[in-house]
Amino acid sequence: MAEKTTKNALVTLYVMAPTSRSINPSPFCLKLETFLRMTKIPYKTVYGWNPSSKGKLPWIEYQGKSIADSNFCVDFLNKEFFVDVDEHLTVEQKAVARAVMVTLEENTYWTLMHYVWCTDHANVVRDEAFSHLPSPIRHVVFWRVQSACQGYLQAHGMGRHTEEEIYAIAERDLKGISALLGDQKYMFGERPCLLDAVVFAFVSCFIWECPKSPQAKLIQDQLSNLIAHAQDMRQNYFPDWEKIIASNKAQSS
C-alpha cells in the first residue's frame, strides 16, 4: 500500500449527533467514521444537522472540496490518501461484498427507517433529537420530518408493505449476512474490509440504537455472531464509544 498523504488539513466529517444509546443513529454516518478509523485518516467531527449539497448526512470537506454520500466519500478518500481496506479481497469476494452492501443500504435500511419513523420509537426520536426546541415548535418540526420520512418510505416501496412483511424482509437480509459471516472473525476472514464497517454500522443501529426493534430481537435471539462481530469492531475502532456519548450528553444538557 502506498504511503498516506502528509497534507496538514484534517478531513472534516459532518454527521448526526450521538444519542444516549449510541455514537450515531445513522448507519451511513457510523460506516464512514468507522472507515476513517480503520484507515487512520486524521479527521475532526462536526455533529448536528448540517446536510450536504444533496440534503443528506454524512459528508466530508477536505482542502476546499466537499464530497457528499458515504460511498463517494470512501472513493475520494481511497484516492486522496492511497488507502484501500479491500485490497486483500479476491475479485469474487469484492463482488459478494458489493452485493451485500447494496442489500443493507438499499433494502435493510428501509426496514430500519420504518421502525424509527412509523412506530412508537418515533416518540423517542422526537423527545431526544428535537429536545432543544420549545414544546410547540418541537412537535411541529418533528411532524414535518416524520411525514417526509414516511413519504420516502412510500416512494421507495418499503412503506407499501405491511409491518409483518417489512420485518420479514429484514429477517431474510440479516440471516443471510449472518450465514455469510459464519464463524469467521470478519466477513472474509481475519482482516476487516469495508463490508465489515457497513455490517457493524447496521447491526449497531439495531442492537444499541434501537434495542427494542424486531430486528434487534432477531439478532439477539438468533444471530449471535453478528453481535460478536459488532462488539469486536466497536472495541477495536471505538474504544472511546462511551466517552463520546457521555461528552455529547454533557454538552447538550
Side-chain angles (χ1 to χ4, degrees):
M1 181 186 297
E3 185 176 355
K4 298 177 186 178
T5 180
T6 56
K7 297 173 183 176
N8 294 327
L10 293 175
V11 170
T12 301
L13 173 66
Y14 293 87
V15 292
M16 297 178 71
T19 69
S20 60
R21 297 166 298 283
S22 68
I23 65 169
N24 212 289
S26 163
F28 299 102
C29 292
L30 183 52
K31 158 199 167 182
L32 185 53
E33 186 163 9
T34 303
F35 170 81
L36 285 165
R37 292 193 174 206
M38 289 173 71
T39 54
K40 299 181 180 179
I41 294 174
Y43 72 97
K44 61 181 179 180
T45 306
V46 177
Y47 293 125
W49 185 247
N50 301 286
S52 68
S53 59
K54 297 181 180 180
K56 296 183 178 182
L57 291 170
W59 62 287
I60 59 172
E61 283 184 326
Y62 184 68
Q63 295 204 327
K65 296 180 180 179
S66 299
I67 313 297
D69 186 279
S70 64
N71 287 318
F72 290 137
C73 289
V74 168
D75 290 343
F76 171 82
L77 294 168
N78 280 339
K79 295 173 183 175
E80 193 72 21
F81 288 86
F82 306 103
V83 295
D84 183 2
V85 295
D86 290 345
E87 65 177 357
H88 60 291
L89 301 183
T90 66
V91 172
E92 291 78 11
Q93 288 173 330
K94 289 179 180 179
V96 171
R98 172 66 178 172
V100 176
M101 284 176 56
V102 171
T103 296
L104 283 167
E105 297 185 347
E106 303 296 339
N107 199 59
T108 317
Y109 169 71
W110 293 98
T111 74
L112 172 64
M113 283 283 285
H114 170 82
Y115 179 76
V116 170
W117 295 107
C118 302
T119 72
D120 289 343
H121 185 80
N123 296 328
V124 176
V125 177
R126 179 196 63 208
D127 295 339
E128 185 164 326
F130 299 89
S131 61
H132 61 289
L133 299 174
S135 182
I137 297 177
R138 181 192 315 154
H139 285 76
V140 172
V141 172
F142 167 76
W143 177 81
R144 293 185 65 179
V145 174
Q146 183 184 40
S147 297
C149 290
Q150 290 175 347
Y152 300 149
L153 277 158
Q154 286 289 316
H156 173 271
M158 188 66 74
R160 300 173 189 272
H161 300 314
T162 66
E163 190 163 80
E164 183 179 357
E165 290 169 337
I166 290 171
Y167 292 137
I169 290 171
E171 180 174 344
R172 287 194 294 270
D173 291 351
L174 292 169
K175 282 185 174 179
I177 293 163
S178 175
L180 179 63
L181 175 61
D183 59 1
Q184 301 177 107
K185 184 174 183 180
Y186 298 113
M187 296 305 298
F188 294 107
E190 292 298 311
R191 186 174 170 184
C193 62
L194 181 60
L195 179 58
D196 288 283
V198 176
V199 171
F200 165 64
F202 274 84
V203 172
S204 295
C205 284
F206 286 132
I207 66 174
W208 291 317
E209 178 61 26
C210 302
K212 296 181 180 179
S213 66
Q215 296 97 320
K217 187 177 188 306
L218 171 70
I219 295 169
Q220 292 159 355
D221 292 348
Q222 301 181 41
L223 311 177
S224 60
N225 62 340
L226 294 184
I227 296 177
H229 177 271
Q231 290 173 333
D232 180 87
M233 292 288 290
R234 173 171 154 174
Q235 179 178 351
N236 286 338
Y237 298 111
F238 292 94
D240 54 346
W241 181 282
E242 295 297 340
K243 182 179 179 181
I244 292 172
I245 294 174
S247 176
N248 183 73
K249 185 176 181 180
Q251 293 176 13
S252 301
S253 60

